[in-house]
């Protein structure tokens, strides 16, 4: 169920991103984006996928309770009495309506079609935000923060995914970057602010190092490390690509956009894993009841004594410098036109060396 949860949540993010990206790009003039052809099956699959992949939290509760109450009664009870179940009913109905709505239309025919699609998607994002963990802790502020966070991510990533995988050419790429780069920066700033705010619902920011003792903190650390290569790819695909296209208009930027989308999928997968572990509301009690993370005990066997001290030594500092070198090599890979797979390898090595360096800095 843990692996299924990771896959399900990552695919749910992708479904939202594909829909939102498709609707937004269809509203952009053709002179400000490359030619894009999105198969109808992709849009229909994304709409249906939201209903399917958002059902997993409901299924987890049902599987936990059904042995005592029976499958049919438990399913009915969860759907009608639990907030997550009632929210999924509305999500499923709206997703089905969107699915039926998309069958006969062609987005490029009328702007109203895409505007309506965006409205449906925003309602679905709001529904997801209403059932989020943040909303369960602080109803309205948690709902708004989670929804804004999710909207910013899926807007940025959605445009990126659709452009990188469904463009027929790279015409008007400089015009595309003129509007997409500011949008991406705005989404990044919003994601950062709301992401930090969401963290405070689960933990104190001063406990960041202490939280690494449990699975939630380990996953959070790896996610934050994975975001840094994504920012480097964003830098390459905005500033460096723009410079190269000005010097060589025939240069094809699509392969590097696809590489950035691969890093996005990695971040989505880690985010999916983060959603499957318990947040640290009472850290000491969690350690007592569940024990420390196996990753943490690999680096720090023995008894756990809070608070931890973050004090990098020679080895840790060396690893941090090496990790920064790996990030720089992503840019070098682009500049020197080296095999593009090296950029992904360098990104993974950055995450690995940065993670080990961080863990060795804890005492």
């Amino acid at each position: 169920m843990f692996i299924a949860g990771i896959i399900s949540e990552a695919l749910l993010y992708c479904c939202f991103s594909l829909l939102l990206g498709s609707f937004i790009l269809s509203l952009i003039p053709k002179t400000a984006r490359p030619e894009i052809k999105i198969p109808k099956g992709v849009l229909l699959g994304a709409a249906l996928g939201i209903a399917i992949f958002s059902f997993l939290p409901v299924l987890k509760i049902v599987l936990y309770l059904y042995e005592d109450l029976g499958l049919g009664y438990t399913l009915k009870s969860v759907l009608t009495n639990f907030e997550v179940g009632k929210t999924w009913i509305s999500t499923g109905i709206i997703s089905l309506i969107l699915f039926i709505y998309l069958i006969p239309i062609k987005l490029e025919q009328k702007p109203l079609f895409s505007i309506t699609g965006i409205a449906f998607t925003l309602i679905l994002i709001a529904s997801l935000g209403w059932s989020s963990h943040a909303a369960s802790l602080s109803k309205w502020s948690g709902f708004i923060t989670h929804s804004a966070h999710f909207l910013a991510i899926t807007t940025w990533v959605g445009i990126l995914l659709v452009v990188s995988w469904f463009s027929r050419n790279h015409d008007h790429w400089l015009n595309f970057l003129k509007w997409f780069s500011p949008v991406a920066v705005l989404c990044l700033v919003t994601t950062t602010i709301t992401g930090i705010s969401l963290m405070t619902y689960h933990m104190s920011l001063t406990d960041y190092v202490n939280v690494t003792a449990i699975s939630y903190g380990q996953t959070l650390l790896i996610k934050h490390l994975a975001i840094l290569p994504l920012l480097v790819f964003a830098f390459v695909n905005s500033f460096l690509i723009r410079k190269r296209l000005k010097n060589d208009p025939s240069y094809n930027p699509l392969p590097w956009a696809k590489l950035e989308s691969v890093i996005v999928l990695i971040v989505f997968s880690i985010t999916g894993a983060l959603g499957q572990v318990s947040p640290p509301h009472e850290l000491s009690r969690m350690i007592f009841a569940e024990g420390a993370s196996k990753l943490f005990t690999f680096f720090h066997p023995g008894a756990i004594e809070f608070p931890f001290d973050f004090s990098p030594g020679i080895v840790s500092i060396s690893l941090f410098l090496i990790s920064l070198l790996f990030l720089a090599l992503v840019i070098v890979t682009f500049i020197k036109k080296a095999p593009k797979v090296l950029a992904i390898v360098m990104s993974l090595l950055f995450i690995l060396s940065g993670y080990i360096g961080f863990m060795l800095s804890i005492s």
Side-chain angles (χ1 to χ4, degrees), residues 147-203:
S147 298
H149 184 74
F150 195 81
L151 177 61
I153 292 173
T154 50
T155 298
W156 173 26
V157 173
I159 296 171
L160 173 66
L161 285 177
V162 173
V163 164
S164 58
W165 291 100
F166 299 108
S167 291
R168 290 186 166 184
N169 53 49
H170 58 277
D171 296 347
H172 312 299
W173 199 267
L174 285 174
N175 290 337
F176 165 70
L177 290 178
K178 284 180 182 179
W179 66 266
F180 177 60
S181 293
V183 168
V185 170
L186 177 62
C187 289
L188 174 62
V189 172
T190 303
T191 300
T192 302
I193 294 172
T194 54
I196 293 173
S197 179
L198 286 173
M199 282 175 57
T200 62
Y201 286 101
H202 307 305
M203 54 181 273

Side-chain angles (χ1 to χ4, degrees), residues 5-141:
I6 295 175
I7 296 173
S8 177
E9 193 155 340
L11 290 175
L12 181 63
Y13 279 32
C14 288
C15 289
F16 273 102
S17 298
L18 287 170
L19 285 175
L20 201 53
S22 299
F23 297 143
I24 292 172
L25 283 166
S26 65
L27 293 172
I28 302 298
K30 292 183 178 180
T31 55
R33 60 170 172 81
E35 183 183 354
I36 296 171
K37 179 64 177 179
I38 307 162
K40 178 60 70 73
V42 171
L43 294 175
L44 295 177
L48 201 58
I50 290 175
I52 295 172
F53 300 128
S54 63
F55 183 72
L56 190 68
V58 177
L59 180 61
K60 288 171 67 175
I61 297 174
V62 170
L63 293 178
Y64 182 76
L65 298 174
Y66 86 98
E67 290 185 356
D68 296 327
L69 303 174
L71 183 59
Y73 178 82
T74 303
L75 179 60
K76 177 184 176 182
S77 178
V78 171
L79 290 176
T80 56
N81 297 321
F82 286 63
E83 189 67 42
V84 65
K86 290 186 286 187
T87 301
W88 181 82
I89 291 176
S90 62
T91 298
I93 292 173
I94 297 167
S95 299
L96 183 59
I97 294 173
L98 179 58
F99 177 85
I100 296 171
Y101 169 78
L102 289 171
I103 291 175
I105 70 167
K106 293 183 179 180
L107 295 179
E108 62 273 14
Q109 287 182 341
K110 293 183 179 180
L112 180 61
F113 292 158
S114 295
I115 293 172
T116 305
I118 290 174
F120 274 118
T121 309
L122 291 177
I123 294 171
L124 287 167
I125 289 174
S127 179
L128 196 72
W130 190 254
S131 64
S132 67
H133 189 65
S136 68
L137 296 174
S138 180
K139 207 62 183 178
W140 282 105
S141 63

